[in-house]
């Protein structure tokens, strides 16, 4: 029976970097216009924490602001992200479409599990027609704990599989695989950190390498 593969979205399938800066700058300009921010846009700080749920993002970026202001910033940021996706300012990583198509044709079950919000993920899926190959896309919003490991467990339970892999660029993806008995494949892409990748079972430097790694995993579990 073909294994299942769960992909992270940001920094794994989707080059978030291409829409991140412009959307974040627009959001902090909005905060400046509201007299809620006077410093530079904390782009580097956001890059360092990429991959955590958005409520955690805004607690880090706006540590001295109220929950109301954080929520306003979150809503505005999400709107700008989606608009920039729909304008075609983002991009999938090279070879993503080709690799997903190949895996799908070979009978692998493909899923997306992301810390992104539902509307944001849906915008990416719709713009790039990822549902041609991906069975279902899951958001951290669907899990009360906001824990990627619990989200992966939810996917396993829904689709009834115990073997497979989690492909992602951050520690949350690697730990989600480990906690659920799956193989972790780390992506050495834009937001990846070497200390986190060191905990992965396998690491790829580009998406085209994924097919070969999947073959290796299949042989190990044959």
């Amino acid at each position: 029976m073909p294994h299942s593969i769960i992909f992270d979205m940001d920094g794994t399938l989707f080059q978030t970097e291409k829409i991140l800066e412009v959307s974040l700058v627009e959001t902090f300009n909005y905060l400046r216009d509201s007299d809620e921010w006077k410093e530079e846009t904390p782009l580097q700080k956001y890059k360092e924490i990429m991959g955590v749920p958005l409520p955690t993002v805004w607690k880090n970026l706006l540590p001295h602001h109220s929950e109301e202001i954080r929520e306003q910033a979150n809503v505005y940021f999400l709107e700008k992200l989606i608009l920039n996706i729909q304008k075609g300012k983002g991009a999938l990583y090279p070879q993503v479409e080709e690799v997903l198509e190949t895996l799908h044709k070979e009978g692998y079950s493909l899923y997306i599990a992301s810390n992104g919000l539902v509307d944001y993920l849906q915008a990416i899926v719709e713009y790039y027609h990822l549902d041609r190959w991906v069975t279902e896309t899951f958001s951290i919003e669907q899990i009360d704990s906001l824990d990627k490991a619990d989200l992966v467990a939810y996917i396993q339970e829904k689709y009834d599989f115990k073997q497979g892999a989690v492909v992602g660029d951050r520690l949350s993806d690697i730990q989600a695989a480990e906690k659920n008995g799956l193989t972790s494949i780390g992506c050495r892409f834009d937001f990846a950190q070497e200390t986190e990748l060191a905990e992965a079972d396998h690491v790829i430097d580009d998406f085209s390498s994924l097919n070969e790694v999947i073959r290796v995993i299949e042989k190990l579990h044959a």
Side-chain angles (χ1 to χ4, degrees), residues 182-195:
L182 304 176
T183 301
S184 59
I185 303 174
C187 300
R188 189 178 278 117
F189 299 167
D190 292 323
F191 303 110
Q193 298 182 14
E194 288 301 317
T195 54

Side-chain angles (χ1 to χ4, degrees), residues 42-62:
L43 182 62
Q44 185 56 41
K45 189 170 185 179
Y46 187 34
K47 289 180 179 179
E48 292 170 1
I49 60 174
M50 268 296 296
V52 302
L54 277 175
T56 305
V57 166
W58 293 109
K59 284 181 181 178
N60 278 270
L61 298 186
L62 301 173

Side-chain angles (χ1 to χ4, degrees), residues 142-198:
Q142 296 169 251
I143 300 296
D144 290 338
S145 66
L146 300 181
D147 188 324
K148 178 68 80 72
D150 291 339
L151 183 59
V152 168
Y154 175 72
I155 298 171
Q156 286 182 278
E157 182 178 358
K158 179 171 182 177
Y159 286 96
D160 191 24
F161 65 89
K162 289 185 170 58
Q163 289 187 316
V166 176
V167 183
D169 65 318
R170 299 308 303 266
L171 186 61
S172 60
D173 304 300
I174 297 166
Q175 291 178 336
E178 180 182 0
K179 290 178 181 178
N180 289 289
L182 304 176
T183 301
S184 59
I185 303 174
C187 300
R188 189 178 278 117
F189 299 167
D190 292 323
F191 303 110
Q193 298 182 14
E194 288 301 317
T195 54
E196 297 182 356
L197 292 177

Side-chain angles (χ1 to χ4, degrees), residues 22 24-34 37 41 76:
V22 62
L24 203 65
V25 167
E26 288 171 336
T27 301
F28 276 85
N29 283 341
Y30 161 75
L31 290 172
R32 289 186 189 94
D33 291 341
S34 305
W37 190 261
T41 300
Y76 192 88

